Amino acid sequence: MKLHELKPAKGATKERQRKGRGVGSGWGKTAGRGSKGQKARSGPGIRPGWEGGQMPLHRRLPKRGFTNIFKKEFAIVNVSDLARFDAGMLVDEAALVRFGLLKGRHDGIKLLGHGDIGVALTVKLNAISRSAKEKIEAAGGSVEVI
């Protein structure tokens, strides 16, 4: 077999429909659009969710709750994540970004107490849980909330 002898399997390809090319094609005259009506006309048609003037589903459903626009989004870091730092290092936002523990935008950083730590670190973050503070201080480190 040579490259110029290759062809698709039988039945794998179909001719495209050439609409509006005469009644003999089967797609002439109205070209599959039916007779009259909004969807038979040229132009943009109807938008998604339009229900012919009936009240759309997204407007029929009740509103629930509210979104607090003043909510603070804290980035979460666990004590187990701090194992990659060397003893005596300062752990702050810049250090966390440098070590790849933080990405994207956030209003603050909170340290949680999941996991264990065996090195003494100086931690300066926006919020620290009680268990995280105890674990860091037990390892010989210090904690400061900024």
Side-chain angles (χ1 to χ4, degrees), residues 77-85 91 96 111 117 121 123 136:
V77 179
N78 278 301
V79 168
S80 58
D81 298 330
L82 303 183
R84 61 183 75 182
F85 288 92
V91 179
L96 292 172
L111 181 65
I117 187 165
L121 299 171
V123 179
I136 290 169

Side-chain angles (χ1 to χ4, degrees), residues 111 121-125 127-129 132-137 141-145:
L111 181 65
L121 299 171
T122 304
V123 179
K124 290 185 180 181
L125 295 176
I128 300 171
S129 70
K133 183 176 181 180
E134 290 168 0
K135 287 180 182 181
I136 290 169
E137 289 174 347
S142 62
V143 171
E144 183 183 332
V145 178

Side-chain angles (χ1 to χ4, degrees), residues 19-94:
K19 295 184 175 180
R21 294 294 183 271
V23 291
S25 69
W27 293 98
K29 194 175 164 242
T30 55
R33 287 174 171 257
S35 299
K36 300 187 183 177
Q38 188 174 16
K39 286 161 58 171
R41 314 288 187 201
S42 66
I46 55 176
R47 66 177 181 271
W50 177 253
E51 297 186 21
Q54 173 175 301
M55 187 62 68
L57 179 67
H58 66 89
R59 290 189 59 196
R60 291 198 303 266
L61 296 175
K63 293 188 287 185
R64 292 280 311 212
F66 86 111
T67 302
N68 182 1
I69 61 170
F70 301 107
K71 181 182 179 184
K72 299 269 189 252
E73 289 287 336
F74 279 83
I76 302 298
V77 179
N78 278 301
V79 168
S80 58
D81 298 330
L82 303 183
R84 61 183 75 182
F85 288 92
D86 296 326
M89 284 186 74
L90 171 65
V91 179
D92 58 358
E93 182 177 359

